[in-house]
Amino acid sequence: RQRITIDREIEQIVFGGVGGSAIAADVIIDWLIDRLKIPAVVVRDARLPRFVNKTTLVVALSYSGETTETLSLYKAARSRDCLAFAISTGGRLIDLCRRYERPFLAIRPSVSPRSALYQMVSACSIVLKEAGLTGRLLPAVGEAAKEVSVLRRHYTSTNDSSGNKAKQFAYSLKDNLPVVYALQRMGCVARRFKNQLNENSKIPAKFDLLPESGHNEIEAWHEANDLTPVLIRDSGESAFESKIMDGFRSTIKEATKTEALDVLIRSKSRLGALLCPIFFLDYVSIYLAFLRGVDPTPTALIKDFRKSIS
Amino acid sequence: RQRITIDREIEQIVFGGVGGSAIAADVIIDWLIDRLKIPAVVVRDARLPRFVNKTTLVVALSYSGETTETLSLYKAARSRDCLAFAISTGGRLIDLCRRYERPFLAIRPSVSPRSALYQMVSACSIVLKEAGLTGRLLPAVGEAAKEVSVLRRHYTSTNDSSGNKAKQFAYSLKDNLPVVYALQRMGCVARRFKNQLNENSKIPAKFDLLPESGHNEIEAWHEANDLTPVLIRDSGESAFESKIMDGFRSTIKEATKTEALDVLIRSKSRLGALLCPIFFLDYVSIYLAFLRGVDPTPTALIKDFRKSIS
């Protein structure tokens, strides 16, 4: 780890990455939605948007350090003279940083890219603080981690179905395609769950945001179909936000008699409100894999795809 | 219509709107991806992000002028002293503009919010030009409109299935849930098609972006299921982009024997490359409604949802 030297005014933040690495950036953006004073976006692509220039902080996230798109994006950031920073376990991305004498943060290898979420979030927090864009964030990350670790005993595999809400939830998703809805500021939870259902459970799933889905997607709910709606709730919902969630739920129910499943994990902190349901739903996706008789760990098709574009 | 007075440096653009109104902003952003020098985002919510301030151009889009979320967002923009602009057929949104003496652009009523796309795109083009953020865009909109209108005779309903690709395409989607994939810069086409399948055909559908989906969602394609993959192609694809599309397609095919359907409509202009496939897929969604024996026009559940949150 090297310190960043801040020699300019930062006007935008671009997190660059794909898959399990990019989701950490979504968590950061949803967490700091009311605190970041400049626009922050996640670019899941090899190309940088037109607006990116030397006033942009670019944070390249690649667990493996070998992701084709993220390597291209990092090189593009360097050629536009951005304040570029990399987060990775190693690979060519860190080699580039060393060669260019640019700052990076090396994280410890985990079981898989998707299980390194907590480390990736911590690393992003350090970068934002060092770039002078926020105060210290790590204490809050530590607090949220404590909240999450308390949940483990509820959801762990040795805890049988009768007292294990994660196992119960997986069972209720067994036969249908899950459709996950969340408000924008809980969007990372919905996206992460959808991706974990793909990667761990090996099933299709979709997520969408509210209130937007009430203005188009709701028309797909004229009849009961093979989909199960899941609503990501939040104990910090405003009266208007609760009205959105309840209105969406009751419109579906009146049209199809389908009851949406709620996910609501209470937490003390804003980051905990994101990481606690993510932790719960990570377990759900793994139990759903076991219910389907598949091994959640290998990701053969992702490997095939990555090979085809490298 | 009133002229905007530009009395400040604009540093970000926020388009505010939901459903059929918001999609025009997606088209604009994808169209100008290599031209806009400042970040532009679509906010499908009642809240403005933290970064929005008096250096932000806020364009509120509401076909009806009565959308709860967009009215709130417009009021919030005013209280933050943004350069705020409204586009609507009328309603309370235009009343607010008149009362506050703020600029607006009134568009003519159409059959439905979703059929006013072309007018909304034109109106946004005028706003960007008047705000000094681009050169004249309307000539390009006119060119693209000409390209689109040439397509009408191919897809019109009096043209029977044997020579009508839109009818043929609808038929191939008849029994399955469509899953639409596109590159980021063609994302508005995928999103619009998904929404039209919901609103016109009354069926569930999903869309996702590539290369991102190759890093998680591809794992859902281990076995043939009741989904039909649709790839939005583009005659302007780079070698790397074609590799992404082809790699994704062949990974699905090897795993499941499922052949993805391609959508590729050649066009002369960058905006035409977005509006031509949108026009084709709009027809597809309507033919699919007829195949399913449903009327594409009414949107009863959207009305129920809107009532529940107003």
Side-chain angles (χ1 to χ4, degrees):
Chain A
R1 175 174 159 197
Q2 302 170 246
R3 296 205 88 77
I4 321 184
T5 313
I6 308 302
D7 49 1
R8 60 191 98 178
E9 187 88 17
I10 299 297
E11 293 177 1
Q12 312 96 19
I13 309 167
V14 167
F15 293 98
V18 293
S21 300
I23 202 83
D26 295 301
V27 170
I28 289 280
I29 290 173
D30 289 350
W31 172 28
L32 302 175
I33 193 167
D34 291 324
R35 289 165 70 180
L36 281 177
K37 289 175 190 163
I38 56 175
V41 295
V42 187
V43 175
R44 292 173 154 88
D45 207 342
R47 297 157 44 112
L48 284 171
R50 174 72 178 82
F51 71 79
V52 173
N53 62 33
K54 66 184 167 47
T55 68
T56 311
L57 169 68
V58 173
V59 185
L61 296 155
S62 169
Y63 174 81
S64 64
E66 300 289 350
T67 316
T68 309
E69 297 91 327
T70 315
L71 288 166
S72 295
L73 187 129
Y74 184 80
K75 286 178 198 159
R78 184 172 175 265
S79 71
R80 290 200 204 172
D81 198 24
C82 303
L83 181 63
F85 201 99
I87 297 173
S88 179
T89 56
R92 278 186 286 163
L93 184 56
I94 301 294
D95 292 343
L96 281 177
C97 294
R98 289 214 170 92
R99 194 185 321 150
Y100 300 153
E101 299 185 341
R102 298 280 172 131
F104 65 86
L105 219 149
I107 60 167
R108 282 187 311 277
S110 187
V111 182
S112 61
R114 59 195 182 280
S115 58
L117 177 65
Y118 175 81
Q119 285 187 70
M120 285 274 187
V121 169
S122 300
C124 290
S125 302
I126 293 169
V127 175
L128 292 181
K129 158 75 174 63
E130 294 212 358
L133 298 170
T134 62
R136 287 181 68 216
L137 298 173
L138 272 186
V141 178
E143 281 304 306
K146 263 185 233 158
E147 288 196 65
V148 166
S149 69
V150 169
L151 298 176
R152 183 165 283 117
R153 64 187 162 87
H154 297 301
Y155 308 142
T156 192
S157 61
T158 51
N159 202 350
D160 75 18
S161 301
S162 64
N164 192 326
K165 288 209 169 116
K167 287 184 181 176
Q168 292 164 16
F169 204 89
Y171 198 81
S172 63
L173 294 177
K174 200 168 60 72
D175 302 313
N176 283 344
L177 187 144
V179 184
V180 190
Y181 296 105
L183 295 167
Q184 177 71 61
R185 62 182 171 72
M186 299 293 281
C188 69
V189 179
R191 183 192 276 269
R192 165 76 170 191
F193 186 36
K194 179 253 166 209
N195 290 347
Q196 294 286 65
L197 289 166
N198 298 153
E199 291 188 61
N200 291 334
S201 324
K202 321 292 179 200
I203 60 164
K206 79 184 251 14
F207 83 98
D208 256 296
L209 298 181
L210 284 171
E212 170 68 11
S213 296
H215 297 276
N216 38 54
E217 180 148 319
I218 192 90
E219 286 298 330
W221 291 96
H222 274 278
E223 52 200 275
N225 46 39
D226 300 330
L227 310 178
T228 299
V230 175
L231 299 179
I232 307 293
R233 307 301 298 255
D234 169 14
S235 49
E237 282 169 13
S238 70
F240 180 61
E241 288 171 339
S242 294
K243 219 170 168 182
I244 290 168
M245 303 306 278
D246 295 339
F248 193 74
R249 158 197 278 288
S250 67
T251 304
I252 290 178
K253 192 173 177 191
E254 275 172 42
T256 66
K257 317 286 172 234
T258 306
E259 192 81 62
L261 304 175
D262 274 6
V263 173
L264 175 60
I265 316 277
R266 287 182 200 285
S267 62
K268 278 170 281 182
S269 68
R270 175 77 198 118
L271 181 58
L274 303 172
L275 292 180
C276 290
I278 283 176
F279 185 76
F280 169 70
L281 294 167
D282 280 1
Y283 268 101
V284 170
S285 71
I286 289 167
Y287 292 135
L288 191 51
F290 293 138
L291 279 174
R292 299 187 67 245
V294 303
D295 181 349
T297 307
T299 52
L301 300 186
I302 294 175
K303 282 200 183 71
D304 286 352
F305 174 75
R306 289 175 71 119
K307 203 189 292 172
S308 74
I309 67 162
S310 69
Chain B
R1 173 176 158 193
Q2 302 168 246
R3 296 206 86 77
I4 321 183
T5 314
I6 307 303
D7 51 0
R8 60 192 97 179
E9 186 88 18
I10 299 297
E11 291 175 0
Q12 311 96 20
I13 308 166
V14 167
F15 293 97
V18 293
S21 300
I23 202 84
D26 295 302
V27 171
I28 290 281
I29 291 172
D30 289 349
W31 172 28
L32 302 175
I33 193 167
D34 290 324
R35 289 163 70 180
L36 281 177
K37 290 176 190 162
I38 55 175
V41 295
V42 187
V43 175
R44 294 174 153 87
D45 207 344
R47 299 155 42 111
L48 284 171
R50 173 73 179 83
F51 70 79
V52 173
N53 62 31
K54 65 183 168 47
T55 68
T56 311
L57 168 68
V58 173
V59 185
L61 296 155
S62 168
Y63 174 81
S64 65
E66 300 290 350
T67 316
T68 309
E69 297 92 326
T70 314
L71 288 166
S72 295
L73 187 127
Y74 184 80
K75 286 176 197 158
R78 185 174 174 263
S79 71
R80 290 199 203 173
D81 198 24
C82 303
L83 180 63
F85 201 100
I87 297 172
S88 179
T89 56
R92 279 187 284 163
L93 185 56
I94 300 295
D95 292 344
L96 282 176
C97 292
R98 288 213 171 91
R99 192 184 324 150
Y100 300 152
E101 301 185 339
R102 297 280 173 131
F104 64 87
L105 219 150
I107 60 166
R108 284 187 310 278
S110 188
V111 183
S112 61
R114 58 195 182 281
S115 58
L117 177 65
Y118 175 80
Q119 285 187 72
M120 286 274 185
V121 169
S122 300
C124 290
S125 301
I126 293 168
V127 175
L128 293 181
K129 158 75 173 63
E130 294 213 358
L133 297 170
T134 62
R136 288 180 68 216
L137 297 174
L138 273 186
V141 178
E143 280 304 306
K146 262 185 233 159
E147 286 196 65
V148 166
S149 69
V150 169
L151 298 177
R152 182 165 285 115
R153 65 187 162 85
H154 298 302
Y155 309 141
T156 192
S157 61
T158 50
N159 203 348
D160 75 16
S161 301
S162 65
N164 192 327
K165 289 211 169 113
K167 288 185 180 175
Q168 291 164 16
F169 204 88
Y171 198 81
S172 63
L173 294 177
K174 200 169 61 71
D175 302 311
N176 283 345
L177 188 143
V179 183
V180 190
Y181 297 104
L183 294 167
Q184 177 71 61
R185 64 182 169 72
M186 298 292 282
C188 68
V189 179
R191 183 192 275 269
R192 164 77 170 190
F193 186 36
K194 180 252 166 207
N195 290 347
Q196 294 285 66
L197 289 166
N198 297 153
E199 291 188 59
N200 292 334
S201 325
K202 321 291 180 199
I203 60 164
K206 79 184 251 15
F207 82 98
D208 256 296
L209 298 182
L210 285 170
E212 171 68 9
S213 295
H215 297 276
N216 38 55
E217 180 149 318
I218 192 92
E219 286 298 329
W221 291 95
H222 274 278
E223 52 200 274
N225 47 40
D226 301 330
L227 311 178
T228 299
V230 175
L231 300 179
I232 307 293
R233 307 302 298 257
D234 169 15
S235 49
E237 281 169 14
S238 69
F240 179 62
E241 287 170 340
S242 295
K243 219 170 169 182
I244 289 168
M245 304 306 277
D246 295 338
F248 193 74
R249 157 197 277 289
S250 67
T251 304
I252 290 178
K253 191 171 179 194
E254 274 172 41
T256 67
K257 317 285 172 235
T258 305
E259 192 81 61
L261 303 175
D262 274 6
V263 173
L264 174 61
I265 317 276
R266 287 181 200 285
S267 63
K268 278 170 280 181
S269 68
R270 174 78 196 117
L271 181 58
L274 302 172
L275 292 181
C276 291
I278 283 177
F279 185 76
F280 169 71
L281 295 168
D282 282 359
Y283 267 101
V284 170
S285 70
I286 289 167
Y287 291 134
L288 191 51
F290 292 139
L291 280 175
R292 298 186 67 244
V294 303
D295 181 350
T297 307
T299 51
L301 301 187
I302 293 175
K303 282 200 183 70
D304 287 352
F305 173 76
R306 288 175 72 118
K307 203 190 291 172
S308 74
I309 67 162
S310 71

